[in-house]
Amino acid sequence: MKTKIWLSSPHMGTAEFNNIKEAFDTNWIAPLGPHVDGFEHDLADFLGEGVHVAALSSGTAALHLALIMLGVKAGDEVICQSMTFSASANPIAYQGAVPVFVDSEDRTWNMSPDLLEAAIQDRIAKGRKPKAIIVVHLYGMPAEMDRIMAVADRYAIPVVEDAAEALGSSYRGRRLGTFGAMSILSFNGNKIITTSGGGALVSTNEEYIKQARFLATQARDAAPHYQHSQIGYNYRMSNVCAAIGRGQMQVLAERVRQRRANYAFYKEAFADIPAIQFPDEPSADFISNRWLSTVLIDDTAGVSREDIRLALEKENIESRPLWKPMHLQPVFAEAPYYGDGTSERLFEKGLCLPSGSNMTDEERRRVAACVKCCF
Ligand SMILES: *Cc1c(COP(=O)(O)O)cnc(C)c1O
């Protein structure tokens, strides 16, 4: 059996292990500690725009806290991009609220600003004004934030930016994760940088971040005994995970460069196969970190997305269809949906290719050769 090529595997630099050792040597094996503070500063410095950051146990936890702080309660509605990973939508359900799914546009694969506005108008007409909008930057590609924010502002609905896949991407010169009232990041094992598991909440409003840290450590009031006036959560990041995160921040720029190089490699390798289409950045305003390299397979040539996925699997190469839209998921079958079929089409044709920043040239050539063999 040939060695496995993964879709996106962890890629450590050199500082991570020393940082962990330091955490052990000083016995800071706790959910809090100097590396947590340091990691939050590193992230805030990197993102710019004067943001504040709370390091948390996961991106999902960050999204949950964002919705809690925006006052999302049982029976409320929250608009969410349909084409995404389920973790974008699950926290809406944690609150007993109802997701309202909005389709993507072809240009970015992210939330269509036009369908967003149509959805908001229809929900308002039904007397159900949405409490928040969750917009996602899929695979690192920026959503059209100017237009999304303009629509959101027109109806005074706060935006939560799900930048879990988009650390290192930017839109009109500004880093993703700095546009929303709050934004979330993920450091899960397959993301562009990882803390083995972890996430962060980001906001220019420091009150949100202070409140997030409070809620994430069991909402303990200021008192010598344990006193609570609110329901709390155990959502903080551990000092050991943050130690890894600080090392990863030192190599983030390099990871973005490597992932973008993967995309450029595939684009060149498949230049002579018209059935393979690439989601290029729509203009110089959009810089994607290319977390995953994705392609669309036009099956009029007789080769389908699934043919290619199975051929890769035979060669011990992991690839994956694009995210299956949430409005097609059994668990969200009852949720309202506003769309024009774009995400369904993308899901049918789209494939994520191996995209790790630690892939060797030989591995990339193995992937390309296998894909080409299908045609
Ligand atoms: C990974 C991911 C999340 C969740 O992050 P976790 O840290 O795994 O909880 C949320 N949204 C999107 C789009 C993701 O890809």
Side-chain angles (χ1 to χ4, degrees), residues 15 26 81 93 115 117-118 131 139 164 242 248 312 316 355 360:
T26 54
Q81 185 165 317
L115 290 171
E117 181 148 30
K131 276 298 220 7
Y139 306 115
Q248 290 272 277
L312 288 167
N316 209 17
S355 303
T360 63

Side-chain angles (χ1 to χ4, degrees), residues 72-85:
V72 173
K73 295 197 174 65
D76 286 342
E77 290 190 354
V78 174
I79 288 186
C80 182
Q81 185 165 317
S82 182
M83 189 156 187
T84 185
F85 178 46

Side-chain angles (χ1 to χ4, degrees), residues 171-194:
Y171 174 75
R172 302 191 69 175
R174 183 167 159 182
R175 301 254 189 232
L176 299 187
T178 65
F179 288 84
M182 282 176 265
S183 307
I184 72 108
L185 300 171
S186 169
F187 312 110
N188 205 352
N190 58 355
K191 298 287 159 55
I192 193 155
I193 62 166
T194 182

Side-chain angles (χ1 to χ4, degrees), residues 8-19:
S8 177
S9 69
H11 185 186
M12 293 296 112
T14 50
E16 291 85 346
F17 191 72
N18 289 337
N19 289 349

